[in-house]
Amino acid sequence: MAERPLDVIHRSLEKDVLVLLKRGGEFRGKLIGYDIHLNVVLAEADYIQDGEVVKSYGKIVVRGDNVLAISPVEIE
């Protein structure tokens, strides 16, 4: 049985994720909330551009319209 996208996101709650943005750049942080529109709430989030941290946020809401992809971050 194929996995549903929201199931993958749900299993990533309280874990680090990478949120790729449509216009470039990405956020990396702990996923603490989301909805069916892919609005996501991240804690301890960093905004990354060209591989470098540009700004750090304590907590941020990323609007789903801006999200290209959400990827669980595997810790090695």
Side-chain angles (χ1 to χ4, degrees):
M1 182 177 194
E3 288 188 285
R4 297 181 307 176
L6 290 178
D7 291 340
V8 174
I9 295 170
H10 185 74
R11 283 197 309 277
S12 297
L13 279 170
E14 299 301 324
K15 296 179 184 172
D16 284 343
V17 296
L18 190 62
V19 179
L20 304 178
L21 304 175
K22 287 182 181 177
R23 294 187 178 168
E26 54 199 48
F27 281 101
R28 182 178 181 150
K30 185 191 301 182
L31 180 65
I32 58 174
Y34 69 95
D35 64 16
I36 61 170
H37 305 288
L38 292 185
N39 297 312
V40 295
V41 184
L42 302 175
E44 303 163 20
D46 291 325
Y47 177 67
I48 301 167
Q49 199 166 32
D50 298 323
E52 295 188 27
V53 174
V54 175
K55 188 166 182 176
S56 295
Y57 298 87
K59 192 180 287 184
I60 190 165
V61 176
V62 181
R63 187 173 172 179
D65 287 350
N66 298 312
V67 174
L68 177 65
I70 301 172
S71 174
V73 175
E74 300 295 327
I75 298 175
E76 298 176 12

